[in-house]
Amino acid sequence: MGNLAYIDLLIVVVYIVGTLVLGITLGRRMSTGKDFFLAGRTLPWWAIGFSLVATDIGGTDIIGVGGAAYSYGMAVANFEWIGCIPAMVVAAFLFVPIFWRAGVYTIPEFLERRFDARVRSALAVCWFAFMACNIGIMLFASARMMQVLFGWDPVVCVLTMAALVGVYTLAGGLAAVVYTDVIQCIVLIGGCLLVLVIGLIDLGGLSGLRAGLEAVQASGGTAAAAHPTDLILPLDTPTPFPWAGIYFGLGMILGPAYWIGNQAIVQRSLGARTEFDAKASYIFGALLKNLLPVIIAVPGLIALAKYPGLAQGDEALPTLVAHMMPVGFRGLFLAAFLAALMSSVDSYVNSAATLVTNDLYKRFLNPAASDERLLRIGRTVTAGLILWGILFALYLSRLEGSGIYAIFQTLLAFFQGPALAVVLTGVLWRRATAPGALTGFVGGVLCAVTLFAMNQPAVYGPMQWQPLFRIGEPFLYFSIWAFLVALVLVIVVSLLTEPEADDKIRGLVYGRDLPERQ
Amino acid sequence: MTPLHYFGDLVRDLLLRVPLGAVRILFVSTLAVLLLWVLRLPQRDVSGIATSGQRHNLRPWAAVALLVQLVIYIFM
């Protein structure tokens, strides 16, 4: 789809200019750190709901989910359905109200109030490392994708994307991030919906899609051919989505860890104008999430029915767009791709800056810092993170082919299970103590690292062992065991240590002492 | 082979014996339990006062989100 007409480019330019104008306009209202990091706690539920969905769907997801559907079938939709919606509903009614009432800026800040500074610092460091690296990874992966799709220079793509996101995130903080996410989510949904509708019309509707998939099934060949529309796949499936990993790893651990404990996600609900808006945003997001796999995964199936011989799944959507989308609509799809990328990068930049400013600078270096000073620090850190993202993306481009990207993603997934165990017990169990939380978190991470090491050929080869897991990317299984080990350690050590004082944890644990406050 | 390998193989063998029909029941019943939980939550947990001053109930919307999931996991 390398050739774009002027009308396509015009659509992209209009989208970019609109985003920048909105972000810079909102930036004029910034005067304090609270404005910058929590949008002055003025955000309405509908804006946060759109922003939650836009943040979750990155630029690579637009292409990658369709590509995975092409390669493995609809089982990839589990990541948007069972991996998101139940966790969002639970978060809306159990966790988000408690976080919002606590009036905190970050989840680690909440954990210091509930436990102690050590637990706060351990989680803040892990989340910051995850977010900072993810900024570079997202920029690199998207630039690489734009090179493949449009033949654009990846270095120019990284620099351009970082500059665009940097301008409005630096100016407008969380408010700019959330309100530009609204535009980006609408563009994203519109662009993908268009691909779906045009693709289905071209195939002759749902019956045409069904017939095409049956033909692919009859010919065999790809992993998707066996179960193109099944969500639940057997344990020994050749795809990365066996049911046990999906149910226990994704549905029970990684999904809740993401929607309850990920600072980049939860931060926007902390900026809600009322507790009701905070809760409603998650429910609105859950309703939107029901739609997403239909518009981003089903086009992969359409490509499978129409072009069954592609070498790689990631070629599915670009091939579909290049062959089916008329002039003008390609620009809308490119705008959707850029929207998905920008909405994720801006959120991670803003949240990482919040962690550094709130959990490092204000907590340890300058507790008496004024709100205006925090705004200046937040903007400086934001600029630094953009620069870091550019440098890290360029560094990754030099390591391409070494597998560093996949290893990095796995390493970063290690702490999510233990972090969930700490947050869950902190909010739901009064008896959980600070030593228990810290021991559980450290023990869980060590468990994940050990399992990862035992699954590496460099470790099991010389010992003449077999790999510990039988699937290619067992990060879902790491998370299950790391969570279980962390949970057991939190419980055992908490029961062996002095309970936290009632005054300390009042209002921070789900139960009878929660006031109704709006 | 380490004890972890034996334990892992045991778990894997046990899970391989679970028929996919039972797995589907597991997925669906989890969603059903969650739906029941939402329907039984105290009113103060699922409602709130919007900036307009009106009290809104989020329970029906949460139920719709989960019902759609139930239908999806029953049939796909």
Side-chain angles (χ1 to χ4, degrees):
Chain A
M1 56 176 292
N3 297 326
L4 293 171
Y6 284 118
I7 183 74
D8 293 314
L9 293 173
L10 184 66
I11 288 170
V12 175
V13 169
V14 167
Y15 156 70
I16 288 173
V17 171
T19 302
L20 289 178
V21 168
L22 178 62
I24 292 168
T25 306
L26 288 166
R28 290 183 183 158
R29 299 180 192 170
M30 296 291 117
S31 60
T32 67
K34 190 177 176 185
D35 291 339
F36 191 74
F37 298 119
L38 292 183
R41 298 195 100 181
T42 58
L43 297 172
W45 60 267
W46 53 268
I48 304 173
F50 276 123
S51 180
L52 287 171
V53 173
T55 300
D56 183 42
I57 301 295
T60 49
D61 294 325
I62 292 281
I63 308 290
V65 172
Y70 182 94
S71 301
Y72 307 121
M74 273 302 278
V76 69
N78 282 302
F79 283 80
E80 303 300 324
W81 284 337
I82 198 89
C84 288
I85 291 165
M88 292 174 86
V89 171
V90 172
F93 295 138
L94 275 190
F95 294 90
V96 167
I98 292 176
F99 296 153
W100 189 89
R101 283 176 210 172
V104 294
Y105 282 48
T106 67
I107 298 299
E109 184 185 352
F110 174 84
L111 290 173
E112 176 169 9
R113 289 207 201 161
R114 175 63 182 84
F115 296 119
D116 64 16
R118 294 170 303 169
V119 179
R120 173 186 191 166
S121 302
L123 268 94
V125 165
C126 286
W127 276 117
F128 175 72
F130 168 75
M131 288 178 187
C133 293
N134 219 16
I135 294 164
I137 288 171
M138 285 189 288
L139 283 173
F140 161 69
S142 301
R144 183 77 188 80
M145 205 158 264
M146 283 188 256
Q147 184 189 24
V148 173
L149 295 181
F150 311 110
W152 295 347
D153 181 35
V155 175
V156 174
C157 290
V158 166
L159 293 174
T160 310
M161 285 295 102
L164 289 174
V165 170
V167 165
Y168 70 81
T169 309
L170 206 57
L174 183 66
V177 168
V178 168
Y179 284 109
T180 53
D181 279 0
V182 173
I183 298 178
Q184 287 156 350
C185 190
I186 292 168
V187 170
L188 186 160
I189 290 175
C192 294
L193 197 60
L194 216 58
V195 178
L196 173 74
V197 171
I198 291 175
L200 277 177
I201 290 171
D202 190 84
L203 275 178
L206 281 175
S207 55
L209 174 62
R210 201 175 300 120
L213 292 176
E214 281 168 3
V216 173
Q217 267 184 301
S219 65
T222 67
H227 313 278
T229 56
D230 289 0
L231 288 176
I232 300 170
L233 300 183
L235 202 69
D236 51 0
T237 172
T239 76
F241 315 125
W243 71 264
I246 293 294
Y247 181 82
F248 295 110
L250 178 66
M252 297 290 161
I253 314 293
L254 288 183
Y258 185 84
W259 292 101
I260 294 166
N262 185 336
Q263 175 64 25
I265 292 296
V266 179
Q267 187 176 340
R268 52 220 62 235
S269 69
L270 300 178
R273 58 190 175 188
T274 65
E275 183 184 325
F276 169 78
D277 285 272
K279 286 192 281 195
S281 66
Y282 264 65
I283 299 302
F284 179 50
L287 287 165
L288 283 177
K289 273 282 179 187
N290 271 305
L291 171 73
L292 274 191
V294 177
I295 61 168
I296 62 175
V298 173
L301 293 185
I302 293 172
L304 179 64
K306 193 149 177 71
Y307 310 105
L310 298 178
Q312 286 189 340
D314 282 354
E315 294 174 19
L317 236 62
T319 305
L320 209 59
V321 172
H323 288 88
M324 288 186 186
M325 299 286 274
V327 168
F329 290 124
R330 288 181 200 176
L332 198 56
F333 177 75
L334 176 57
F337 174 78
L338 294 178
L341 166 66
M342 291 163 73
S343 61
S344 299
V345 174
D346 62 12
S347 299
Y348 278 89
V349 167
N350 183 255
S351 293
T354 309
L355 283 174
V356 172
T357 309
N358 194 60
D359 295 284
L360 174 67
Y361 178 78
K362 189 182 174 195
R363 174 64 181 82
F364 294 109
L365 300 178
N366 188 1
S370 67
D371 234 10
E372 291 73 23
R373 172 109 184 126
L374 292 178
L375 173 62
R376 284 198 298 278
I377 296 293
R379 282 189 163 145
T380 307
V381 174
T382 300
L385 282 164
I386 294 284
L387 188 63
W388 153 259
I390 293 170
L391 294 175
F392 191 56
L394 298 179
Y395 174 70
L396 287 175
S397 67
R398 292 174 59 191
L399 295 178
E400 204 176 350
S402 65
I404 186 101
Y405 176 68
I407 292 171
F408 208 78
Q409 290 286 51
T410 305
L411 289 174
L412 291 172
F414 285 168
F415 70 93
Q416 297 206 34
L420 176 67
V422 170
V423 176
L424 275 186
T425 50
V427 171
L428 299 179
W429 190 38
R430 311 183 69 82
R431 189 62 182 80
T433 64
L438 189 64
T439 311
F441 183 70
V442 174
V445 172
L446 287 176
C447 166
V449 173
T450 306
L451 294 179
F452 173 76
M454 290 184 70
N455 211 49
Q456 298 305 303
V459 173
Y460 67 73
M463 311 293 275
Q464 296 185 324
W465 295 339
Q466 290 181 351
L468 208 50
F469 298 95
R470 305 280 176 87
I471 63 172
E473 293 175 24
F475 64 94
L476 290 175
Y477 291 131
F478 295 154
S479 68
I480 298 169
W481 295 112
F483 170 79
L484 289 175
V485 166
L487 188 66
V488 168
L489 284 173
V490 173
I491 291 170
V492 170
V493 176
S494 293
L495 290 173
L496 293 174
T497 48
E498 284 290 310
E500 304 284 353
D502 278 349
D503 284 349
K504 179 185 170 189
I505 63 173
R506 182 162 294 125
L508 303 178
V509 181
Y510 187 78
R512 285 170 298 179
D513 64 350
L514 284 178
E516 184 178 20
R517 194 200 312 168
Q518 299 296 336
Chain B
M1 294 282 272
T2 65
L4 275 181
H5 283 85
Y6 289 111
F7 179 69
D9 284 345
L10 177 72
V11 173
R12 182 181 160 80
D13 288 343
L14 284 173
L15 291 176
L16 272 170
R17 289 181 196 172
V18 180
L20 275 187
V23 173
R24 187 175 299 280
I25 291 171
L26 178 70
F27 274 72
V28 170
S29 58
T30 303
L31 290 164
V33 167
L34 198 54
L35 178 60
L36 278 177
W37 173 74
V38 167
L39 294 176
R40 292 170 59 92
L41 274 171
Q43 191 61 29
R44 74 168 206 173
D45 285 356
V46 294
S47 65
I49 299 166
T51 41
S52 61
Q54 284 187 316
R55 181 168 279 275
H56 290 282
N57 189 0
L58 293 170
R59 197 194 311 270
W61 300 108
V64 167
L66 291 169
L67 270 172
V68 172
Q69 284 294 288
L70 266 173
V71 171
I72 286 169
Y73 278 90
I74 287 171
F75 291 105
M76 286 184 73

